Amino acid sequence: MTTHTGGCQCGAIRFRVSGELKDSSICHCRMCQKAFGAYYAPLVSVRGAEFEWTRGERKKFRSSNFVERGFCGDCGTPLTYEAPDGMAIAAGAFDDPSSLPPTIQWGVECKLGFVDRLHELPGERTEADLTAGSFLHELVSYQHPDHDTQVWPPEDRA
């Protein structure tokens, strides 16, 4: 049985999913754009799998008469789309989102025209921006690592 783990950016909330995850999507609807603060929302359904929250509790916002959206109340990371037919987890909240590629797009009536051309933009590694942001030389990440930890934050940062 395959197990996936993940959580929010600050580490206050963590989860574990056991089982096959085969319903991964991107939603372009305006509600999802707003909920994720992005051009679209990448979501992975956990319907039919064993799901458990292993650390913390999400806050929820009722975005419609049927749907609630879960997020971390500390760092704001979008975490869930919860509807009567099941729950989906934000793909980027998984420790290894590359293992869950989307298989369908929803809400294409709201799809922004330039999204299909994003791959045409020039690409640079983070280090290439060192001249524009001199602070990057001294950047220390407080982001939770992409694996489970016994406690978070580490004692020296608590």
Side-chain angles (χ1 to χ4, degrees), residues 52-101:
E52 66 177 316
W53 297 104
T54 58
R55 182 186 303 149
E57 289 188 35
R58 72 207 177 283
K59 291 195 173 199
K60 293 182 184 178
F61 170 70
R62 181 168 288 286
S63 61
S64 73
N65 59 327
F66 288 111
V67 174
E68 289 184 312
R69 297 177 184 266
F71 61 95
C72 176
D74 292 338
C75 67
T77 300
L79 293 168
T80 65
Y81 169 91
E82 300 174 49
D85 64 344
M87 182 168 72
I89 302 295
F94 282 88
D95 290 338
D96 182 12
S98 68
S99 68
L100 301 161

Side-chain angles (χ1 to χ4, degrees), residues 7-145:
C8 66
Q9 186 174 22
C10 75
I13 299 175
R14 295 287 297 162
F15 62 83
R16 179 179 301 115
V17 187
S18 298
E20 186 180 0
L21 300 178
K22 54 185 181 246
D23 185 10
S24 186
S25 64
I26 291 172
C27 185
H28 297 276
C29 83
R30 188 63 184 133
M31 261 195 223
C32 280
Q33 290 173 356
K34 293 281 278 191
F36 277 72
Y39 303 132
Y40 51 82
L43 294 160
V44 180
S45 174
V46 295
R47 202 174 19 239
E50 282 182 44
F51 180 89
E52 66 177 316
W53 297 104
T54 58
R55 182 186 303 149
E57 289 188 35
R58 72 207 177 283
K59 291 195 173 199
K60 293 182 184 178
F61 170 70
R62 181 168 288 286
S63 61
S64 73
N65 59 327
F66 288 111
V67 174
E68 289 184 312
R69 297 177 184 266
F71 61 95
C72 176
D74 292 338
C75 67
T77 300
L79 293 168
T80 65
Y81 169 91
E82 300 174 49
D85 64 344
M87 182 168 72
I89 302 295
F94 282 88
D95 290 338
D96 182 12
S98 68
S99 68
L100 301 161
T103 58
I104 191 167
Q105 298 181 71
W106 298 104
V108 294
E109 69 281 359
C110 294
K111 187 177 187 178
L112 301 172
F114 59 79
V115 168
D116 287 332
R117 295 187 313 278
L118 293 177
H119 69 282
E120 296 172 2
L121 295 173
E124 297 286 345
R125 295 186 51 84
T126 304
E127 303 84 40
D129 200 26
L130 289 176
T131 57
S134 59
F135 67 91
L136 292 175
H137 288 286
E138 298 174 26
L139 183 78
V140 176
S141 174
Y142 295 141
Q143 181 168 293
H144 189 276

